[in-house]
Amino acid sequence: MKNNNIYTFFMFLITILLVSYFVPIWYIFIPLLIIGSIIYSTKSTPSFLLGFSSVFLAWFLLMMFMDIQNVGLLSSKITTLFKLPSKWLLISITALVGALLGGLSTWFGKNLKSSFGLLKDNA
Amino acid sequence: MKHLTTVISLLLLVSLFYFLNSYSIKTASSTIPPIGKFINPITGFWKNAEKAQLKTEENINLKGLKSPVSIIYDEHMVPHIYAQNEEDLYLAQGYVTARFRLWQMEIQTRAACGRVSEILGPKLLPFDRLKRRTGMKYGAQQTLAAVEKDPHAKKLLDAYTNGINQYIHGLDEASMPVEYKLLNYQPEDWTPLKTGLLLKAMAENLTALEYDIEHTNALNMIGKENFENIYKDWWPEQDPIIPIGTIYTRSIESPLEISDSLLSINSFAPNKIDNPIDREEEDYMKGSNNWAVAGSKTKSGKPILANDPHLRLSLPSIWFQIHLSCPEYNVSGASLPGAPGVISGFNDHIAWGVTNAGRDIRDWYKVTFKDASMNEYLLDGKYVATKKVIEKFEIKGMDTFYDTIVYTHHGPVVYDKNYIDKKSLNLALRWTAHDESTEMLTFNKLNKAQNIKDYFEAISHYSCPAQNFVFACKNGDIAIQQQGKFPIERKDQAIFIQDGSKTTNDWQGYIPFADNPHIVNPSRAFVSSANQHPTDPTYPYNYSGVFDYNRNRRINNLLSGMNNISIVEMEKLQLDNFNMQASECLPVMLSKLDKTKLNKSQLKVIDDLSKWNFYNEANMIEPAYFEMWKDTFKSLLWDEFYHADFPMRIPEDVTMAHFIIDEKTSVFYDIKSTSKVETLQDLLLLSFEATSNKITHMTEKNWSEYKHTTIEHLAKIPAFTIDYVACGGNKSIVNATSKYHGPSWRMIVEMTDDINAVAIYPGGQSGNPGSKYYDNFVQDWSEGKYYQVYHSSSIEEMKKHASITLVLNP
């Protein structure tokens, strides 16, 4: 990734973390990423990967943070509930679920921008 | 092309989102909620992962408060609520209880009024229909109407409701209890009716102990003489709540109460009928212990009171420990989430506790309808109109279902052509839980009672489920009364299905309050109850029910011999694992067993059993051997009941004990499926051989593992359940911990100037499986530990035991 993509990645990551903390709507990152992607996408933006990786990491961090504070009490019960072999699989699946939606959101955002012929070369 | 990719990416995004947010996956055994909605870390289950380190100070505004309320949580998360008036106290109790137990409160009342198929689907429709047809909602409405006639009680109940609702309204998707997320539905507003429903659920739990249908089936199968031999009212070794020899008076006469008419019933008895009630036959003994010893028997010279209600063990626990303080009174103990006040506890003057009376207060009447429309039924030769109520059932994943319930003067017709009863027997249920009643007043008045006069006044408002209210006071008084609304009836009325077309079969009034069994400061210096008969047979009213013979005798034996008692001895008594039944049956079983045919490993089992001290301790294996042998023997002795085509009541264990100890000639020793006529010796040998076979294959290493005490989550979710709690005891043992039932609240209160009290229950204060307070008492409970109950009326004093403070502001 180029420098400006890394910059966009961190911007997405921090935005998702902050918004997740304050807004109790779990899919709020979808419109945010679509808009973000429309604003920040250029021809060389890795559109899917950008959303995918930022949500994956954001959710992963959120879960780690909550799990540590809860000393793993609930995650172990939900792991048993879904008959999963380990809580890391539960955390990974969850992060993956968010990541897929994130990836599709940024991909769609970039495609939309491109449909209207607004996609530019890197400045 | 560009547009196509855009459309494809949008479609993928939308469909994936729809799948994750709205699509429930149905499997054979369960429904998985929309996966993204449930597992995401923003509003999903992760938000229920409670911080191990809680905030130490919180301020919340609540509408309807007159003054600020301070709540202090002690180290066990027991809330100590300090309000400046009683209404604020109840509002705060509602709020705090909902905060810990909302889902439980809601699911219990939903179940009581037959509304679980709304959230769990069509599988539960028969369950829901039975609840509506047995008149649970109808009963709750009657009770509520009676309570609301008292303006003060209405105000308190409204305040309690208001507190719960303010908690519900403050919830968002993230803060919702995890069960709502898992079952994918929303809580609805609390109503006073729901509190009524909760009390009806307790009534059903504790009084659906009648066997009219099963008895009628049995009478048909085995005849009158056999029936009277095995379903006996009373065995002479019984030690009733009111000591034998007490003289009773009867203050009213009832001319219609004629003597037994078993024979006329026999000719009337309808065809055998089926019913869907799941009896959990092997584990049905819901019981409880309570007692109070007078100061003359204690070290401190002040009375000590103990109570341990045995109920189905569950998570969240049926009890929520609480301390309520206002200028008028200061009360501590166990509350029922969903009902205001304290149910079993103590205040600055008195202590009280409850055990179930176990008396039969439900009767079934066969209704004769004029025709299939069920608009009129026969009564004393004339046809009278029925009342029909249409009940609506909303069902998840299915069309709405309507059920017409026919009401007669007896009560609702539970079984008719539209429900289970294909032969159109049309059975109506008469049940005191359907009547107007004011149990809520009893608990409110007990919470503030100061002496024995207040205690009797308080319990006079109580009707159902009938309880043995034990009492002790700082001034030295002790007392017990069996209190409830008991019908006056013939003996057969209580036992068999009745002809509902004759008013002579109706209940003939109710036993007056003053005639209910009670005793104050007896010469033996203690009072006690453990679900045994309330009285000996000289009591001047007929009654029947399900009664225990073992716990009470053990408790009374021990209490009689005890002196200089302190709390520690009372703890030991609550935890006593002596198996009275084994001590009486096993020596006879061993001596009558023909040992000549046994092999070496079988003789080893005999040897182990003969050396056993009759204690069902967790780490012993002999209790498992005995229980296995007894159960196998029981299934051979009562084979005709176990293999009957219709619902039957397996005779009680006390009857079995008599069939072992006083061997007699009886058809029941014979095993129907063999050509041989078996004797007691044959049954003992056959059952022992089968048992020793099982023993060679058994993997459980001790009694605790074999018994397998389980504390199940209310929605039976295995991940939220505690499997294998290590503990001794069993039903009919003072420590009555069986597979699913047990001492749900152990409390001991010493009435010294500054009351000394200990308590514990198998659960935790929080209903949240993601909280460390969900099940943190279970280990200590299983080890027989107790916690000090803090009850100071001073906030400053209480702050010494606590680190978390919550202030509720108007």
Side-chain angles (χ1 to χ4, degrees), chain A residues 24 26 66 69-70 77 94 111 115, chain B residues 6 9 21 39 41 50 52 769-770:
Chain A
W26 76 273
M66 288 190 274
Q69 284 194 315
N70 181 241
K77 285 178 181 156
T94 310
N111 288 341
S115 283
Chain B
T6 309
S9 58
N21 191 56
I39 65 175
E50 191 177 279

Side-chain angles (χ1 to χ4, degrees), chain A residues 6-27:
Chain A
I6 291 170
Y7 164 77
T8 315
F9 167 78
F10 276 108
M11 198 174 54
F12 283 1
L13 178 68
I14 289 160
T15 310
I16 293 167
L17 283 174
L18 280 176
V19 172
S20 298
Y21 194 77
F22 292 107
V23 186
I25 301 172
W26 76 273
Y27 45 83

Side-chain angles (χ1 to χ4, degrees), chain B residues 282-295:
Chain B
E282 292 305 318
D283 196 15
Y284 73 103
M285 203 64 194
K286 290 165 197 148
S288 309
N289 308 317
N290 66 17
W291 60 80
V293 289

Side-chain angles (χ1 to χ4, degrees), chain B residues 448-472:
Chain B
K448 49 182 102 161
Q450 303 195 354
N451 52 45
I452 197 159
K453 203 174 129 255
D454 294 348
Y455 153 79
F456 280 118
E457 205 285 319
I459 65 172
S460 71
H461 297 275
Y462 190 89
S463 39
C464 182
Q467 298 288 302
N468 303 306
F469 285 89
V470 70
F471 166 86

Side-chain angles (χ1 to χ4, degrees), chain B residues 472-625:
Chain B
C473 184
K474 269 187 183 169
N475 75 1
D477 285 335
I478 59 169
I480 195 165
Q481 166 145 336
Q482 181 162 93
Q483 177 53 25
K485 182 177 174 183
F486 299 111
I488 298 177
E489 56 183 346
R490 299 188 308 270
K491 195 168 281 177
D492 65 271
Q493 272 182 294
I495 304 177
F496 300 109
I497 297 169
Q498 298 291 301
D499 182 352
S501 68
K502 296 182 184 121
T503 47
T504 48
N505 286 335
D506 288 356
W507 289 350
Q508 289 139 36
Y510 302 94
I511 298 174
F513 177 75
D515 290 0
N516 278 340
H518 62 273
I519 191 162
V520 178
N521 298 327
S523 57
R524 65 179 181 183
F526 70 88
V527 294
S528 77
S529 76
N531 315 103
Q532 76 270 41
H533 289 70
T535 66
D536 64 31
T538 63
Y539 185 62
Y541 296 91
N542 287 321
Y543 67 87
S544 71
V546 177
F547 303 113
D548 196 55
Y549 279 79
N550 297 309
R551 280 181 286 122
N552 59 315
R553 288 189 293 147
R554 176 69 177 168
I555 291 168
N556 290 352
N557 289 349
L558 290 179
L559 283 178
S560 304
M562 283 166 116
N563 277 304
N564 214 17
I565 302 169
S566 63
I567 284 191
V568 181
E569 283 81 38
M570 298 289 87
E571 289 179 0
K572 260 196 209 149
L573 182 51
Q574 282 190 335
L575 300 166
D576 181 77
N577 284 329
F578 183 72
N579 189 332
M580 190 97 180
Q581 190 184 41
S583 76
E584 290 171 346
C585 292
L586 185 58
V588 184
M589 288 163 81
L590 288 170
S591 75
K592 286 188 179 167
L593 180 69
D594 178 5
K595 294 171 206 74
T596 55
K597 289 171 187 147
L598 302 183
N599 63 31
K600 220 173 150 189
S601 70
Q602 288 172 324
L603 287 169
K604 170 81 172 65
V605 174
I606 294 293
D607 191 46
D608 287 346
L609 279 173
S610 27
K611 285 179 192 150
W612 179 40
N613 62 3
F614 309 119
Y615 280 81
N616 276 34
E617 302 297 349
N619 57 2
M620 292 178 168
I621 189 68
E622 293 85 356
Y625 294 170

Side-chain angles (χ1 to χ4, degrees), chain B residues 61 63 81 93 117 173 284 494 529 622 712:
Chain B
N61 293 331
K63 277 175 253 159
I81 305 181
Q93 187 187 7
S117 43
E173 211 181 319
Y284 73 103
S529 76
E622 293 85 356
E712 217 175 20

Side-chain angles (χ1 to χ4, degrees), chain B residues 135-147 193 196-197 200 391 407 434 436:
Chain B
M136 296 286 285
K137 196 171 96 188
Y138 169 70
Q141 284 162 341
Q142 301 279 86
T143 292
L144 184 63
V147 170
L193 181 68
L197 281 164
K200 294 299 148 182
E391 289 285 346
Y407 281 81
H434 291 153
E436 285 202 354

Side-chain angles (χ1 to χ4, degrees), chain B residues 239-479:
Chain B
D239 185 1
I241 297 172
I242 310 301
I244 288 180
T246 304
I247 310 292
Y248 299 98
T249 54
R250 183 171 165 147
S251 52
I252 56 166
E253 287 309 316
S254 174
L256 286 172
E257 192 185 344
I258 46 177
S259 63
D260 260 342
S261 56
L262 280 177
L263 274 177
S264 65
I265 289 299
N266 199 8
S267 57
F268 160 73
N271 297 322
K272 294 165 184 173
I273 87 150
D274 213 339
N275 79 64
I277 302 166
D278 179 13
R279 294 277 193 201
E280 292 179 52
E281 195 61 59
E282 292 305 318
D283 196 15
Y284 73 103
M285 203 64 194
K286 290 165 197 148
S288 309
N289 308 317
N290 66 17
W291 60 80
V293 289
S296 60
K297 282 176 92 73
T298 68
K299 209 177 205 166
S300 65
K302 294 287 186 177
I304 300 179
L305 178 141
N307 186 201
D308 56 308
H310 314 149
L311 295 166
R312 197 178 168 91
L313 302 178
S314 67
L315 287 169
S317 166
I318 187 152
W319 302 111
F320 179 69
Q321 196 181 333
I322 204 158
H323 170 203
L324 304 170
S325 191
C326 65
E328 204 186 334
Y329 60 94
N330 180 50
V331 65
S332 265
S335 70
L336 285 172
V342 170
I343 305 290
S344 163
F346 62 93
N347 61 27
D348 292 342
H349 309 275
I350 69 143
W352 77 98
V354 287
T355 64
N356 195 27
R359 272 163 72 173
D360 176 2
I361 45 148
R362 292 174 23 130
D363 283 332
W364 294 92
Y365 288 91
K366 180 177 166 21
V367 175
T368 312
F369 288 115
K370 190 176 180 186
D371 52 46
S373 71
M374 303 198 279
N375 287 332
E376 288 172 89
Y377 69 106
L378 189 66
L379 192 62
D380 292 338
K382 285 181 221 142
Y383 283 101
V384 295
T386 59
K387 202 181 121 204
K388 287 183 178 174
V389 175
I390 296 174
E391 289 285 346
K392 183 178 175 186
F393 298 78
E394 281 163 30
I395 306 164
K396 188 179 169 187
M398 226 177 89
D399 291 341
T400 302
F401 178 87
Y402 294 91
D403 196 11
T404 306
I405 300 174
V406 180
Y407 281 81
T408 64
H409 78 288
H410 301 294
V413 180
V414 178
Y415 303 107
D416 60 25
K417 61 181 179 184
N418 298 321
Y419 186 72
I420 311 270
D421 171 21
K422 292 191 183 65
K423 290 187 186 124
S424 284
L425 289 166
N426 303 316
L427 297 180
L429 175 63
R430 178 73 186 95
W431 183 17
T432 53
H434 291 153
D435 303 348
E436 285 202 354
S437 65
T438 52
E439 292 84 8
M440 274 177 250
L441 295 184
T442 296
F443 293 110
N444 180 250
K445 284 168 187 273
L446 280 174
N447 287 190
K448 49 182 102 161
Q450 303 195 354
N451 52 45
I452 197 159
K453 203 174 129 255
D454 294 348
Y455 153 79
F456 280 118
E457 205 285 319
I459 65 172
S460 71
H461 297 275
Y462 190 89
S463 39
C464 182
Q467 298 288 302
N468 303 306
F469 285 89
V470 70
F471 166 86
C473 184
K474 269 187 183 169
N475 75 1
D477 285 335
I478 59 169

